[in-house]
Amino acid sequence: MKISVTVNTTDLSDLDLQQMVQLGIDCVDFGVGHSFKGVKEQGYPDLEELLKLKKRLRSWGLEINRVTLPNITNAFMREQPGSEKELENSINAVKVFGEAGIKIVRQRFEGDVFYGRSQSYKSIQRGGMIGRGESIGLLKEKSPTPTMEELTNWWRNFQRAYRDIVDSALDVNVNVAMHPSDTPHPDSPFGGIGLHRIIDDFPQKNVGFVYCIGTRAEAGGSSLVMDEINHFGRKNRIFLVHFRNVRGSLPSAGAFEEAMLDDGDLNMFKILIELDKVGYNGCLNPDHVLTFAGDTPDLDDKWAFSNIGWKHSSLGFAYSIGYIKALLNALVEFKGKAY
């Protein structure tokens, strides 16, 4: 297994890349589809610019692990006139990434998350670290969820788009990875049932997941995470792991808080052992680290107080990367003695 970090820009400084190498990071995941040069101009990445980016990262000993396709918005999901261009852009992006030799793409679909169902709040943890918390009880007036008919229509349009994306990706030897719905409110399209449905609907071996341990723990704790790793992992459907910890879950506490790897409810070493048992050999990405004193976080309004993207001199990322490297070293010793 290797270590990757998410960046939300392609404009990475030499200092960014130097610190990645110093910390022992192996790969970079690009979390925003429109960050690639060419997307704003023509709807999909420019191959020449992408190859320049890849060459620059390789000069530092880094590889591109996962990229994000241009977004599929509500316009497409609601079949609005002209929205077919979004799917065309995603398919063109898949072809460009495939030609550049990038093996994992992620497609975002607007509507997979039910906003307005829980209250975000600033979670203050040891020494004043800042993280994301969400509570069902604190939000007194909740937004309505889609009707059965609306969800059925949404899923139909998802299938229509995904089928073309998956087929195009097969042609260029690219894996298509879906991230679970975050926040994982009940009936979210890419919740526990939806993840199984994706595999049922798309049996192609290039279809799988950005398996987010934190998101799935928010939905059901450690036991759910272990079960899903066993189920999807032995089917070789886990392409990337967001390796993060949380406190509480929506079913058990009506709330959760993101936590550092050593400070949540999950035993991350046990999870690492389970990943190893099912043969996972992709990247571990710390994802959604807490903000330490002195950090300049990369925040997103959709997940208030979540520090998502890598920035140089981030103590939260540095701590997490060192922790993961220690776990990987411990795994080697454990395997030598236990099995």
Side-chain angles (χ1 to χ4, degrees):
M1 286 178 262
K2 298 180 180 180
I3 298 175
S4 67
V5 291
T6 299
V7 297
N8 289 322
T9 177
T10 56
D11 295 324
L12 300 168
S13 68
D14 285 349
L15 181 57
D16 286 319
L17 301 178
Q18 184 177 21
Q19 288 193 358
M20 287 182 190
V21 175
Q22 289 174 345
L23 288 169
I25 294 167
D26 303 292
C27 304
V28 178
D29 296 325
F30 288 90
V32 178
H34 60 70
S35 66
F36 294 99
K37 290 180 172 60
V39 173
K40 293 180 179 178
E41 295 78 12
Q42 64 187 13
Y44 55 91
D46 179 84
L47 177 59
E48 185 176 346
E49 292 294 333
L50 179 61
L51 290 174
K52 287 180 183 177
L53 175 63
K54 182 178 179 180
K55 183 177 181 180
R56 181 166 178 248
L57 291 178
R58 281 190 161 182
S59 73
W60 288 93
L62 298 164
E63 295 288 341
I64 298 176
N65 177 56
R66 185 267 293 187
V67 295
T68 304
L69 303 175
N71 289 353
I72 299 291
T73 72
N74 274 330
F76 180 91
M77 302 307 288
R78 295 173 181 172
E79 304 176 55
Q80 295 178 5
S83 61
E84 292 296 322
K85 186 66 176 177
E86 295 182 0
L87 177 56
E88 182 182 329
N89 287 337
S90 286
I91 291 172
N92 285 330
V94 167
K95 294 175 180 177
V96 170
F97 288 130
E99 191 168 349
I102 295 167
K103 297 302 182 185
I104 306 174
V105 300
R106 173 192 176 184
Q107 179 68 70
R108 298 177 188 271
F109 288 87
E110 195 167 355
D112 77 303
V113 176
F114 299 160
Y115 295 107
R117 301 293 297 173
S118 55
Q119 176 65 56
S120 294
Y121 64 90
K122 182 187 292 187
S123 168
I124 306 297
Q125 299 182 25
R126 68 185 185 214
M129 287 189 299
I130 298 173
R132 162 199 176 200
E134 287 199 27
S135 167
I136 296 174
L138 288 176
L139 189 64
K140 304 306 179 184
E141 295 185 11
K142 296 176 173 56
S143 300
T145 58
T147 64
M148 184 67 184
E149 181 181 5
E150 289 170 334
L151 278 177
T152 298
N153 291 336
W154 190 97
W155 195 268
R156 185 188 67 249
N157 286 316
F158 161 75
Q159 290 170 315
R160 179 167 62 93
Y162 219 52
R163 187 168 293 108
D164 289 348
I165 292 168
V166 167
D167 288 345
S168 299
L170 271 174
D171 290 339
V172 291
N173 195 30
V174 169
N175 290 328
V176 184
M178 183 58 64
H179 188 288
S181 296
D182 183 4
T183 303
H185 292 298
D187 299 319
S188 299
F190 305 140
I193 300 300
L195 297 182
H196 289 280
R197 188 174 180 184
I198 291 173
I199 301 302
D200 291 340
D201 287 351
F202 299 95
Q204 298 93 326
K205 296 304 181 183
N206 69 326
V207 174
F209 304 112
V210 176
Y211 187 78
C212 182
I213 290 170
T215 301
R216 299 309 298 145
E218 293 158 14
S222 179
S223 60
L224 175 64
V225 170
M226 297 291 272
D227 286 345
E228 290 185 341
I229 288 174
N230 179 269
H231 182 84
F232 297 124
R234 59 186 169 83
K235 293 183 176 182
N236 296 317
R237 298 308 183 103
I238 299 177
F239 299 150
L240 168 63
V241 171
H242 281 174
F243 197 76
R244 62 184 182 90
N245 210 337
V246 297
R247 300 170 171 176
S249 71
L250 295 178
S252 65
F256 65 83
E257 296 181 352
E258 295 175 346
M260 294 303 292
L261 290 171
D262 67 318
D263 206 28
D265 294 345
L266 284 66
N267 183 322
M268 302 307 291
F269 189 56
K270 285 185 177 180
I271 289 173
L272 188 62
I273 292 171
E274 195 67 21
L275 286 166
D276 185 69
K277 283 181 179 178
V278 298
Y280 178 71
N281 61 359
C283 284
L284 304 173
N285 181 318
D287 194 48
H288 289 220
V289 303
L290 274 68
T291 301
F292 282 45
D295 285 353
T296 302
D298 183 2
L299 303 178
D300 191 308
D301 290 341
K302 293 179 179 178
W303 302 284
F305 311 113
S306 280
N307 187 5
I308 297 173
W310 160 272
K311 286 190 175 182
H312 64 259
S313 300
S314 167
L315 294 175
F317 273 104
Y319 182 94
S320 299
I321 292 156
Y323 194 88
I324 294 172
K325 291 181 75 68
L327 289 182
L328 289 171
N329 287 337
L331 179 65
V332 173
E333 290 297 315
F334 177 80
K335 288 174 64 176
K337 295 176 181 178
Y339 63 98

